[in-house]
Amino acid sequence: MKSTPNVWLVLTLLLIACPPKPIQYNDPVPDHESFALASKILNETRTLNVWLPPKYKSGDAKYPVVYMPDGGIVGEDFPHIANTLAELISAGTIQPVILVGIQNTNRKRDLTGPTVVAKDKEWIPENGGSDAFRRFIRDELFMEVNKRYRTTDTRTIVGESLAGLFVTETFLLAPDMFNNYIAVDPSLWWNDQYLVKNAGLLLATGEMNGRKFWFAGSSAKDIQEATSKLADVLTKVVRPGLHWKYSPEPNEKHNTIFKAVKQNAFLWMLGK
């Protein structure tokens, strides 16, 4: 009798050979500005896309800034996030903000930390660039945005999937960088759930006062398992001044969850 191939093994090999692309939306591109920033840290020039709130150009007020990896115009998340912020601001349900989208050059490099897992390395051979990407944002991008635009000191970062992994990693490793963190379906399975397994220690030692962390997990088994574990850790490690919310979304898939939860995330994080 012939043995039946392991279906899950076949699917896994296919995913390694043809890794999924970032989820794409067909939202109209809103009016925005773009500028190039030559990074010494990354040794490349990066494109930044900026959406300004409606009354920005008619006054002199300063605004909080929302930063977003996967912030390109084509095939990335900038258009649908900018349109959502515009709708919420117009409705008066969140405070006006500036959106800064960081367009990708090498997404998988920038959004992952190093890994010891062989399958991770097969999928992303150039892994481990998140520390440099974080230094680019902190040491170069913040200064440039503050120079070009009227900004307050309040910063938010939002990301989904690998970008959600980067958001969570930054929250745990460098919580002072942002006031607010939104991680949608973060790929916390990366490096054998390293961030989840070490979250207790990192939460106990990091400066968490005044920080807000919102995260959601879809029905995807590997993500749902890791995000639920992270919620358990956050429940056990009580840090005064840290506000967090976990939104399990069992009816959403990895390719539907961002649009399904983004308004709730912004309302909880930036709501009036």
Side-chain angles (χ1 to χ4, degrees):
M1 178 183 293
K2 291 184 178 180
S3 60
T4 303
N6 188 313
V7 174
W8 292 111
L9 176 60
V10 172
L11 290 174
T12 300
L13 292 174
L14 285 173
L15 284 172
I16 292 172
C18 305
K21 297 179 180 179
I23 299 159
Q24 297 184 13
Y25 301 102
N26 295 317
D27 279 51
V29 178
D31 291 338
H32 67 282
E33 301 177 358
S34 298
F35 67 89
L37 178 58
S39 170
K40 294 181 180 179
I41 293 172
L42 299 176
N43 194 31
E44 63 184 11
T45 297
R46 301 301 296 257
T47 297
L48 292 309
N49 301 302
V50 181
W51 177 85
L52 300 171
K55 295 182 179 180
Y56 181 89
K57 294 183 179 180
S58 61
D60 56 4
K62 294 183 177 181
Y63 296 89
V65 183
V66 176
Y67 288 86
M68 184 177 63
D70 288 339
I73 300 301
V74 179
E76 295 183 28
D77 292 317
F78 182 85
H80 82 91
I81 292 298
N83 290 332
T84 296
L85 290 174
E87 292 169 5
L88 294 173
I89 292 169
S90 178
T93 52
I94 68 169
Q95 58 187 302
V97 294
I98 296 169
L99 175 66
V100 176
I102 308 168
Q103 191 162 305
N104 287 315
T105 55
N106 188 331
R107 178 179 188 264
K108 291 183 285 188
R109 174 202 67 193
D110 288 344
L111 300 180
T112 56
T115 182
V116 298
V117 178
K119 287 185 178 180
D120 292 352
K121 293 178 180 180
E122 289 178 26
W123 182 39
I124 307 178
E126 67 278 37
N127 68 80
S130 61
D131 180 67
F133 189 53
R134 194 160 28 250
R135 286 188 287 113
F136 157 70
I137 295 171
R138 183 188 61 212
D139 299 338
E140 296 178 327
L141 182 55
F142 284 168
M143 185 182 302
E144 187 66 22
V145 170
N146 291 340
K147 182 175 70 175
R148 288 173 176 264
Y149 301 98
R150 302 190 309 273
T151 64
T152 69
D153 293 332
T154 301
R155 303 184 183 110
T156 299
I157 184 169
V158 57
E160 183 259 356
S161 193
L162 284 181
L165 173 70
F166 178 80
V167 169
T168 307
E169 183 186 79
T170 302
F171 167 66
L172 292 172
L173 299 184
D176 60 315
M177 275 186 65
F178 297 90
N179 306 85
N180 307 317
Y181 296 81
I182 298 173
V184 179
D185 230 27
S187 302
L188 295 177
W189 48 263
W190 180 257
N191 193 21
D192 192 28
Q193 297 189 15
Y194 174 86
L195 289 177
V196 177
K197 292 178 179 179
N198 291 276
L201 176 62
L202 295 170
L203 285 164
T205 56
E207 178 51 65
M208 296 292 171
N209 188 39
R211 300 297 176 263
K212 297 176 73 175
F213 179 54
W214 188 102
F215 65 116
S218 71
S219 61
K221 184 179 179 181
D222 52 354
I223 293 177
Q224 187 276 331
E225 175 186 319
T227 52
S228 295
K229 287 181 179 178
L230 181 58
D232 290 340
V233 175
L234 284 160
T235 300
K236 294 173 183 176
V237 181
V238 178
R239 291 300 308 272
L242 169 63
H243 301 278
W244 65 275
K245 181 178 177 61
Y246 174 47
S247 181
E249 301 291 338
N251 295 323
E252 299 298 335
K253 299 179 181 179
H254 189 60
N255 64 347
T256 65
I257 188 170
F258 206 176
K259 279 210 166 184
V261 304
K262 58 183 176 176
Q263 286 199 8
N264 289 339
F266 286 128
L267 286 169
W268 186 83
M269 193 66 74
L270 304 172
K272 292 183 176 180

